[in-house]
Amino acid sequence: MSTTSTTGPTDTTAPASAPAGRAVGSIARKVLDFSMDQAVWILLVLAIVIMGIFKPSFYSFGILSNILVQATVLGILAISISMVILLGDINLATVGTAGFSALLGVMAMKAGLPVPLAILLILVVGSLVGLVNGLIVTKLRANALIATLAMNMVLQGALLAITSGKSITSLPASYKFVSQGRIGAFPALPIVLIVVFAVFYIIWERTRFGRGLFAVGGNPRGAYIAGIDVDRVKIGAYVVSGLLSGLAGWLLSGYMGAVTSSFGTTYEMQVIAAAVIGGVSLTGGRGNMIGVLAGTLLLTVIQVGLAVLGIQSTLITLAGGLMIFVAVLIDASRNLYNSRS
């Protein structure tokens, strides 16, 4: 009797504790998975809350709309570089392409070319630079980092030489309309950002070209065996990257009302950080457009917020550098976590 009564409760409670432990472990795993997948959005919300605590006026319409305006060029350049990072390559010529394309378009416009054709010229020049980069990387098998770094130096050097260190100003209102215009009380520039992100979300998720980008970035050999023209996908990615850089060049020159000798240089490392923080893996094959948008907004919120708080510009630069370092750590952590899961 005593033996039966002693062992009875033990037999019934032991199986009950095991499912409970598994349930807790499953919940913890789901929370960790969610945190890793949505880390950038969590950081964005925390940044907005913290900025608002220290400066309640941060939540004003003027500052929030300004964040979206400031994020537009960075966001488009982040998509531009993400197209190539997704392949496991890199394109360090995005900013140089933006500046050089804008310079040629503005000079042609000053020489009498109609504004719509000048804008089209900027986009074409950007695409051609991307084509050259793509051909060098694919056909000559050049290292993407060195090739695009060299291209960026050539383009920025040409910009400096042509402008002789001076700014080209007095741009017509029709050229600046999208960048400086408003729709009611809302600036027009963020609308461009939303449209571009929506278009490339569809391209990445719903098109054959988008699937090709992920396949080539994840396993180039496997993609080739599956019948994907790897070189064509890579060249296409570089061309689109150049096109987006040209678009960013037009919008930034319109917003500034000028093309300067140091055009866009503040974006050079930020675009990589925005893409990587947003989940585009430096090893290729992984990323999503929603994450890139979040990474862009996070960097912009931090920079605008620090400026609103009255932080010295040197410390803002330091914060930008730290964010790039954080981007590398986040990417490494994701890769390590995914390899163990």
Side-chain angles (χ1 to χ4, degrees), residues 36-318:
M36 293 301 295
D37 291 338
Q38 307 299 328
V40 63
W41 287 106
I42 295 172
L43 291 173
L44 176 60
V45 171
L46 287 175
I48 293 174
V49 170
I50 292 172
M51 293 297 177
I53 291 174
F54 284 99
K55 194 78 170 182
S57 61
F58 183 80
Y59 296 134
S60 67
F61 175 78
I63 292 178
L64 293 178
S65 63
N66 182 53
I67 288 173
L68 294 177
V69 169
Q70 298 294 329
T72 299
V73 172
L74 175 60
I76 293 174
L77 287 174
I79 300 175
S80 171
I81 203 168
S82 295
M83 296 293 296
V84 181
I85 295 179
L86 201 59
L87 299 171
D89 285 345
I90 193 68
N91 181 10
L92 297 180
T94 52
V95 172
T97 302
F100 185 73
S101 301
L103 172 66
L104 293 187
V106 167
M107 289 179 62
M109 184 176 59
K110 291 280 190 178
L113 189 69
V115 170
L117 293 181
I119 296 171
L120 179 61
L121 176 62
I122 293 173
L123 301 180
V124 169
V125 170
S127 301
L128 289 176
V129 173
L131 176 61
V132 172
N133 285 331
L135 291 174
I136 292 174
V137 171
T138 57
K139 302 305 180 183
L140 299 181
R141 305 301 177 191
N143 180 277
L145 187 149
I146 300 301
T148 57
L149 176 61
M151 177 63 77
N152 192 64
M153 293 175 67
V154 168
L155 295 175
Q156 290 187 333
L159 174 64
L160 181 61
I162 293 173
T163 60
S164 298
K166 301 177 182 178
S167 300
I168 301 177
T169 57
S170 302
L171 306 183
S174 56
Y175 181 87
K176 300 182 292 184
F177 173 75
V178 173
S179 299
Q180 298 185 5
R182 305 183 77 85
I183 299 177
F186 196 75
L189 205 53
I191 297 175
V192 179
L193 177 68
I194 294 171
V195 170
V196 172
F197 266 100
V199 168
F200 278 87
Y201 174 84
I202 295 173
I203 290 175
W204 277 23
E205 301 291 335
R206 306 292 185 209
T207 68
R208 182 178 179 181
F209 176 58
R211 291 191 294 271
L213 290 172
F214 284 92
V216 172
N219 187 345
R221 180 63 180 171
Y224 175 78
I225 294 174
I228 297 175
D229 191 330
V230 174
D231 283 356
R232 179 177 294 182
V233 170
K234 285 190 174 184
I235 292 172
Y238 276 98
V239 170
V240 174
S241 180
L243 172 67
L244 288 170
S245 295
L247 175 62
W250 165 47
L251 295 175
L252 182 58
S253 60
Y255 180 75
M256 295 170 56
V259 174
T260 65
S261 58
S262 59
F263 188 88
T265 52
T266 56
Y267 291 100
E268 284 184 328
M269 292 295 104
Q270 292 180 33
V271 295
I272 301 176
V276 176
I277 289 175
V280 183
S281 176
L282 290 168
T283 57
R286 288 199 305 273
N288 65 84
M289 197 53 60
I290 302 300
V292 176
L293 175 60
T296 299
L297 292 176
L298 175 61
L299 284 180
T300 308
V301 164
I302 291 174
Q303 290 185 332
V304 173
L306 292 177
V308 170
L309 292 175
I311 305 298
Q312 296 179 6
S313 59
T314 52
L315 295 179
I316 295 177
T317 302
L318 173 62

Side-chain angles (χ1 to χ4, degrees), residues 29-40:
R29 180 60 180 269
K30 289 180 180 179
V31 171
L32 184 58
D33 287 342
F34 177 81
S35 300
M36 293 301 295
D37 291 338
Q38 307 299 328
V40 63

